[in-house]
Amino acid sequence: MTNSERLPLSGIKVIEFTHMVMGPTAGVILADLGAEVIKIEPLGGDNTRRLKGSGSGYFSMYNRNKQSVFIDIKSAEGKDVAKSLIKEADILLENFRPGAMEKLGLGYEQLNTLNPRLIYCSLKGFLSGPYAHRTALDEVTQMMGGLAYMTGLPDKPMRAGSSVIDITGGMFGVIGIMAALEERHRTQQGKNVTCSLYETTAFMVGQHMAQQVVTGEAPPPMSVRRSAWAIYDIFHCANNEQVFIGVVSDSQWRIFCDAFGLEDFAQDQSLALNNGRVAQRERILPVINEVFATLSKEQLMAKLEKSGLPFAPINKPSDLFDDPHLNAGGLVEVTLPDGTKTKLPGLPLEMNNQRMPLRHDIPKDQGNSVATLQAAGFSEDDIQKLLSLGIIDA
């Protein structure tokens, strides 16, 4: 795919009032799929641009393929500009605290008369209920939703090593939007869609809730879990290097034994079925560890790949820049707001074996308000007036 005309959401217009990760994730998914996304930023730019430490990559990762306008939406003139854009939009995204958009006069009910076809997606901390008024963060809901408990040690809950709830919460928002778009084909009416961090976390740990009902026991953290398979661990090979290996079926067990010359295990009928192997983990693992200790990481992975068994090197995020598979199309070349060129992960989708292209680079720190408003149909006189009044930044 080389242009927006060939992308599935070509012609769909999105106005995005978002910051941090959850909202921008929904926006970048829609943008990568071909929607025209205009990000509304405050004068001076979204504060996410200026985050340091673990937040310093947020803006660059989740804002490609978007245009932006730096605008004072608290002013009457700025609000008029926003409403002018919203009037022609198909989708609005917002992830501000509960009531903030209504206070600005930009809530769903307030905009429904302006644009009855508008699909209004609010990305919040909580859905309707006693917690609906609370302000949430990814880490807040990981803690209260049980994910941090399942990720950490028994006495030390730990957040997951990525903003997994922000990201998946944004994905659920897009799922809701797509459903509302399909319904609009029949009704010609928009819809108010809300997704949330807390309910997303509950959905993510639902398997563990179900496990407790099935087994009658509360599941321990994954770090000390009782595995469902005998071989489903990180193993040490020569030079103390590590590889994760999973053998998750009886047929894979036979292949595994053949690949590593484990004839005694292969012929032992007490190990032929998974539950028998799980019961004898203490017998199996020392033998396997001894075999792996004679192999380098490369030799071990070569055997596993040839056999078609699940395995993985233990990588750091920095290793992915040079990963040959990702470099075959999974990384998108972008320019960061400070001018640095790099490659970042693209949308993990193919359509007709084609990836989603970069159409707009990440908005620069000084924004591109004038170009965005020109493309949206604003006259030069109107744009110059907004600049002179300080309603927009150039």
Coordinates of all heavy atoms in Angstrom, one line a residue, residues 4-16 26-39 65-67 85-93 115 117-121 174 177-185 188 190 359-360:
S4 N -3.2 6.7 0.7 CA -4.4 6.6 1.5 C -5.6 6.1 0.7 O -6.5 5.5 1.3 CB -4.7 8.0 2.1 OG -5.0 8.9 1.1
E5 N -5.6 6.3 -0.6 CA -6.8 5.8 -1.4 C -6.9 4.3 -1.3 O -8.0 3.8 -1.5 CB -6.7 6.2 -2.8 CG -7.0 7.7 -3.1 CD -6.1 8.7 -2.5 OE1 -4.9 8.4 -2.5 OE2 -6.5 9.7 -1.9
R6 N -5.9 3.6 -1.0 CA -5.9 2.1 -1.0 C -6.1 1.6 0.4 O -6.1 0.4 0.6 CB -4.6 1.6 -1.6 CG -4.4 1.9 -3.1 CD -3.1 1.4 -3.6 NE -3.0 0.0 -3.5 CZ -1.9 -0.7 -3.7 NH1 -0.8 -0.1 -4.0 NH2 -1.9 -2.0 -3.6
L7 N -6.2 2.5 1.4 CA -6.3 2.0 2.8 C -7.8 2.0 3.2 O -8.6 2.7 2.7 CB -5.5 3.0 3.7 CG -4.0 3.0 3.5 CD1 -3.4 4.2 4.3 CD2 -3.4 1.7 4.0
P8 N -8.1 1.0 4.1 CA -9.5 0.8 4.4 C -10.3 1.9 5.0 O -11.5 2.0 4.8 CB -9.4 -0.4 5.4 CG -8.0 -0.5 5.8 CD -7.2 0.1 4.8
L9 N -9.6 2.8 5.7 CA -10.4 3.9 6.3 C -10.2 5.2 5.6 O -10.4 6.3 6.1 CB -10.0 4.1 7.8 CG -10.4 2.9 8.7 CD1 -10.0 3.3 10.2 CD2 -11.9 2.6 8.6
S10 N -9.7 5.2 4.4 CA -9.6 6.4 3.5 C -10.9 7.1 3.5 O -12.0 6.5 3.2 CB -9.1 6.0 2.1 OG -9.1 7.1 1.3
G11 N -10.9 8.4 3.7 CA -12.1 9.2 3.6 C -12.8 9.4 5.0 O -13.6 10.3 5.1
I12 N -12.4 8.7 6.0 CA -12.9 8.8 7.4 C -12.1 9.9 8.1 O -10.9 9.9 8.1 CB -12.8 7.5 8.2 CG1 -13.7 6.5 7.5 CG2 -13.2 7.8 9.6 CD1 -15.1 6.7 7.6
K13 N -12.8 10.9 8.6 CA -12.2 12.0 9.3 C -12.3 11.9 10.8 O -13.4 11.7 11.3 CB -12.8 13.3 8.8 CG -12.6 13.6 7.3 CD -13.1 15.0 6.9 CE -12.9 15.2 5.4 NZ -13.4 16.5 5.0
V14 N -11.2 12.1 11.5 CA -11.1 11.9 13.0 C -10.6 13.2 13.6 O -9.5 13.7 13.1 CB -10.2 10.7 13.3 CG1 -10.2 10.5 14.9 CG2 -10.7 9.5 12.7
I15 N -11.2 13.7 14.6 CA -10.7 14.8 15.4 C -10.3 14.2 16.8 O -11.1 13.6 17.5 CB -11.7 15.9 15.6 CG1 -12.2 16.4 14.2 CG2 -11.1 17.1 16.4 CD1 -11.2 16.9 13.3
E16 N -9.0 14.4 17.2 CA -8.5 13.8 18.3 C -8.1 14.8 19.4 O -7.2 15.6 19.2 CB -7.2 12.9 17.9 CG -6.6 12.2 19.1 CD -5.3 11.5 18.7 OE1 -5.3 10.8 17.6 OE2 -4.3 11.6 19.4
A26 N -5.5 4.8 20.1 CA -6.7 4.7 19.3 C -6.5 5.5 18.0 O -6.8 5.1 16.9 CB -7.9 5.1 20.0
G27 N -6.0 6.7 18.2 CA -5.8 7.6 17.0 C -4.8 7.1 16.0 O -5.0 7.1 14.8
V28 N -3.7 6.5 16.5 CA -2.7 6.0 15.5 C -3.2 4.8 14.8 O -2.8 4.6 13.6 CB -1.3 5.8 16.2 CG1 -1.3 4.5 17.0 CG2 -0.2 5.9 15.2
I29 N -4.0 4.0 15.5 CA -4.5 2.8 14.8 C -5.4 3.3 13.6 O -5.3 2.8 12.5 CB -5.3 1.9 15.7 CG1 -4.3 1.2 16.8 CG2 -6.1 0.8 15.0 CD1 -5.0 0.5 17.9
L30 N -6.3 4.2 13.9 CA -7.2 4.7 12.9 C -6.4 5.4 11.8 O -6.7 5.2 10.6 CB -8.2 5.7 13.5 CG -9.2 5.1 14.5 CD1 -10.0 6.2 15.2 CD2 -10.2 4.1 13.8
A31 N -5.4 6.2 12.2 CA -4.5 6.9 11.2 C -3.8 5.9 10.3 O -3.7 6.1 9.1 CB -3.6 7.8 11.9
D32 N -3.2 4.9 10.9 CA -2.4 3.9 10.1 C -3.3 3.2 9.1 O -2.9 2.7 8.0 CB -1.8 2.9 11.0 CG -0.4 3.4 11.6 OD1 -0.1 4.5 11.3 OD2 0.2 2.6 12.3
L33 N -4.6 3.0 9.5 CA -5.6 2.3 8.6 C -6.1 3.3 7.5 O -7.0 2.8 6.7 CB -6.7 1.7 9.4 CG -6.3 0.5 10.3 CD1 -7.4 0.1 11.2 CD2 -6.0 -0.7 9.4
G34 N -5.7 4.5 7.5 CA -6.0 5.4 6.4 C -6.9 6.6 6.8 O -7.2 7.4 5.9
A35 N -7.4 6.7 8.0 CA -8.2 7.8 8.4 C -7.4 9.1 8.4 O -6.2 9.1 8.7 CB -8.9 7.6 9.8
E36 N -8.1 10.2 8.1 CA -7.5 11.5 8.2 C -7.7 12.0 9.7 O -8.8 12.3 10.1 CB -8.2 12.5 7.3 CG -7.7 13.9 7.4 CD -8.5 14.9 6.6 OE1 -9.0 14.5 5.6 OE2 -8.7 16.1 7.1
V37 N -6.6 12.0 10.5 CA -6.6 12.3 11.9 C -6.0 13.7 12.1 O -4.9 13.9 11.8 CB -5.9 11.2 12.7 CG1 -6.0 11.6 14.2 CG2 -6.6 9.8 12.5
I38 N -6.8 14.5 12.7 CA -6.3 15.9 13.1 C -6.2 15.9 14.7 O -7.3 15.7 15.3 CB -7.2 17.0 12.6 CG1 -7.2 17.0 11.1 CG2 -6.7 18.3 13.2 CD1 -8.1 18.1 10.5
K39 N -5.0 16.0 15.2 CA -4.8 16.0 16.6 C -4.9 17.5 17.1 O -4.2 18.4 16.6 CB -3.4 15.5 16.9 CG -3.1 15.3 18.4 CD -1.8 14.7 18.6 CE -1.4 14.5 20.1 NZ -2.3 13.5 20.7
N65 N 1.3 9.6 11.3 CA 0.2 9.6 10.4 C -1.0 10.5 10.8 O -2.1 10.4 10.4 CB -0.4 8.2 10.1 CG 0.5 7.4 9.1 OD1 1.1 8.0 8.2 ND2 0.5 6.1 9.2
K66 N -0.6 11.5 11.7 CA -1.6 12.5 12.1 C -1.1 13.9 11.7 O 0.1 14.2 11.6 CB -1.7 12.5 13.6 CG -2.2 11.1 14.2 CD -2.2 11.2 15.7 CE -2.6 9.8 16.3 NZ -2.6 9.8 17.8
Q67 N -2.1 14.8 11.5 CA -1.9 16.2 11.4 C -2.2 16.8 12.8 O -2.9 16.2 13.5 CB -2.7 16.8 10.3 CG -2.5 16.1 8.9 CD -3.5 16.6 7.9 OE1 -3.5 17.7 7.5 NE2 -4.4 15.7 7.6
L85 N -14.2 21.9 12.6 CA -13.6 20.7 12.2 C -14.5 19.5 12.6 O -14.6 18.5 11.8 CB -12.2 20.5 12.9 CG -11.2 21.5 12.5 CD1 -10.0 21.4 13.5 CD2 -10.7 21.3 11.1
I86 N -15.1 19.5 13.8 CA -15.9 18.4 14.3 C -17.2 18.3 13.4 O -17.6 17.1 13.2 CB -16.3 18.7 15.7 CG1 -15.1 18.6 16.6 CG2 -17.4 17.7 16.2 CD1 -15.3 19.1 18.0
K87 N -17.7 19.4 12.9 CA -18.9 19.3 12.1 C -18.7 18.4 10.8 O -19.7 17.8 10.4 CB -19.3 20.7 11.6 CG -20.6 20.8 10.9 CD -21.0 22.3 10.6 CE -22.3 22.3 9.9 NZ -22.7 23.7 9.6
E88 N -17.5 18.3 10.3 CA -17.2 17.6 9.1 C -16.6 16.2 9.5 O -16.3 15.4 8.6 CB -16.3 18.3 8.2 CG -16.7 19.7 7.8 CD -18.1 19.7 7.1 OE1 -18.3 18.7 6.3 OE2 -18.9 20.6 7.3
A89 N -16.5 15.9 10.8 CA -15.8 14.7 11.2 C -16.7 13.5 11.3 O -17.9 13.6 11.4 CB -15.1 14.9 12.5
D90 N -16.1 12.3 11.2 CA -16.8 11.0 11.4 C -16.7 10.5 12.8 O -17.5 9.9 13.4 CB -16.3 10.0 10.4 CG -16.6 10.3 9.0 OD1 -17.7 10.1 8.5 OD2 -15.6 10.7 8.3
I91 N -15.5 10.8 13.4 CA -15.1 10.3 14.7 C -14.5 11.3 15.6 O -13.7 12.2 15.0 CB -14.1 9.1 14.5 CG1 -14.8 8.0 13.7 CG2 -13.6 8.5 15.9 CD1 -13.7 7.0 13.2
L92 N -14.8 11.4 16.8 CA -14.0 12.2 17.8 C -13.5 11.3 18.9 O -14.2 10.4 19.4 CB -15.0 13.3 18.4 CG -14.3 14.3 19.4 CD1 -15.0 15.6 19.3 CD2 -14.4 13.8 20.8
L93 N -12.2 11.6 19.2 CA -11.6 10.8 20.3 C -11.2 11.8 21.4 O -10.7 12.9 21.2 CB -10.2 10.2 19.8 CG -10.3 9.2 18.7 CD1 -8.9 8.8 18.2 CD2 -11.1 8.0 19.1
N115 N -23.5 17.5 14.7 CA -23.1 16.4 13.8 C -23.8 15.1 14.3 O -23.1 14.4 15.0 CB -21.6 16.3 13.7 CG -21.1 15.3 12.7 OD1 -21.9 14.6 12.2 ND2 -19.8 15.2 12.5
R117 N -24.1 12.4 12.9 CA -23.4 11.2 12.4 C -22.1 10.9 13.2 O -21.4 9.9 12.9 CB -23.1 11.3 10.9 CG -24.4 11.2 10.1 CD -24.1 11.5 8.6 NE -22.9 10.8 8.1 CZ -23.0 9.6 7.6 NH1 -24.1 8.9 7.6 NH2 -21.9 9.0 7.1
L118 N -21.8 11.8 14.1 CA -20.5 11.7 14.8 C -20.4 10.5 15.7 O -21.3 10.3 16.5 CB -20.2 13.0 15.6 CG -18.9 13.1 16.3 CD1 -17.8 13.2 15.3 CD2 -18.9 14.3 17.3
I119 N -19.4 9.7 15.6 CA -19.1 8.7 16.6 C -18.1 9.2 17.6 O -17.0 9.6 17.2 CB -18.5 7.4 15.9 CG1 -19.6 6.9 14.9 CG2 -18.1 6.4 16.9 CD1 -19.1 5.8 13.9
Y120 N -18.5 9.4 18.8 CA -17.8 10.1 19.9 C -17.2 9.0 20.8 O -18.0 8.3 21.5 CB -18.8 11.0 20.6 CG -18.2 12.0 21.5 CD1 -18.2 13.3 21.2 CD2 -17.7 11.6 22.8 CE1 -17.6 14.3 22.1 CE2 -17.2 12.5 23.7 CZ -17.2 13.8 23.3 OH -16.7 14.8 24.2
C121 N -15.9 8.9 20.8 CA -15.3 7.8 21.6 C -14.6 8.5 22.8 O -13.6 9.2 22.6 CB -14.3 7.0 20.8 SG -13.5 5.7 21.8
V174 N -11.1 1.3 19.5 CA -11.2 1.2 18.1 C -12.2 0.1 17.7 O -13.0 0.3 16.7 CB -9.8 0.9 17.5 CG1 -9.9 0.6 16.0 CG2 -8.9 2.1 17.7
I177 N -15.5 1.7 18.0 CA -15.7 2.7 16.9 C -16.0 1.9 15.6 O -16.9 2.3 14.8 CB -14.4 3.5 16.7 CG1 -14.3 4.5 17.9 CG2 -14.4 4.3 15.4 CD1 -12.9 5.1 17.9
M178 N -15.3 0.8 15.3 CA -15.6 0.1 14.1 C -17.0 -0.5 14.1 O -17.7 -0.5 13.1 CB -14.6 -1.0 13.9 CG -13.2 -0.6 13.7 SD -12.9 0.2 12.1 CE -12.9 1.9 12.6
A179 N -17.5 -0.9 15.3 CA -18.8 -1.4 15.4 C -19.8 -0.3 15.1 O -20.9 -0.5 14.5 CB -19.1 -2.1 16.7
A180 N -19.5 0.9 15.7 CA -20.4 2.0 15.5 C -20.5 2.5 14.1 O -21.5 2.9 13.6 CB -20.0 3.1 16.5
L181 N -19.3 2.4 13.4 CA -19.3 2.8 12.0 C -20.2 1.9 11.2 O -20.9 2.3 10.3 CB -17.9 2.8 11.5 CG -17.0 4.0 11.6 CD1 -15.6 3.7 11.1 CD2 -17.6 5.2 10.8
E182 N -20.1 0.6 11.5 CA -20.9 -0.4 10.7 C -22.4 -0.2 11.0 O -23.2 -0.2 10.1 CB -20.5 -1.8 11.1 CG -21.4 -2.9 10.5 CD -21.4 -2.9 9.0 OE1 -20.4 -2.5 8.4 OE2 -22.4 -3.4 8.4
E183 N -22.7 0.1 12.2 CA -24.1 0.4 12.6 C -24.6 1.7 11.9 O -25.8 1.8 11.4 CB -24.3 0.5 14.1 CG -25.7 0.7 14.5 CD -25.9 0.9 16.0 OE1 -25.1 1.6 16.6 OE2 -26.8 0.2 16.6
R184 N -23.7 2.6 11.7 CA -24.1 3.9 11.1 C -24.5 3.7 9.6 O -25.2 4.5 9.1 CB -22.9 4.9 11.2 CG -23.4 6.4 10.9 CD -22.2 7.3 11.1 NE -21.3 7.2 10.0 CZ -20.2 8.0 9.8 NH1 -20.0 9.0 10.7 NH2 -19.4 7.9 8.8
H185 N -23.9 2.7 9.0 CA -24.3 2.4 7.6 C -25.7 2.1 7.5 O -26.4 2.4 6.5 CB -23.5 1.2 7.1 CG -22.0 1.4 6.9 ND1 -21.1 0.4 7.0 CD2 -21.3 2.6 6.7 CE1 -19.9 1.0 6.9 NE2 -20.0 2.3 6.7
Q188 N -27.6 5.7 9.9 CA -27.1 7.1 9.5 C -26.9 7.9 10.8 O -26.8 9.1 10.7 CB -28.1 7.8 8.6 CG -28.4 7.0 7.3 CD -27.1 6.7 6.5 OE1 -26.3 7.6 6.3 NE2 -26.9 5.5 6.1
G190 N -24.8 8.6 14.6 CA -23.6 8.3 15.3 C -23.9 7.6 16.6 O -25.0 7.2 16.9
R359 N 2.2 7.9 6.0 CA 1.7 9.0 5.2 C 2.0 10.4 5.7 O 2.3 11.3 4.9 CB 0.2 8.8 5.0 CG -0.3 7.5 4.3 CD -1.8 7.4 4.3 NE -2.3 7.2 5.6 CZ -3.1 8.1 6.2 NH1 -3.5 9.2 5.6 NH2 -3.6 7.9 7.4
H360 N 2.0 10.5 7.0 CA 2.4 11.8 7.7 C 3.4 11.4 8.7 O 3.2 10.6 9.6 CB 1.2 12.5 8.3 CG 0.1 12.8 7.3 ND1 0.2 13.8 6.4 CD2 -1.1 12.3 7.1 CE1 -0.9 13.8 5.6 NE2 -1.7 12.9 6.1

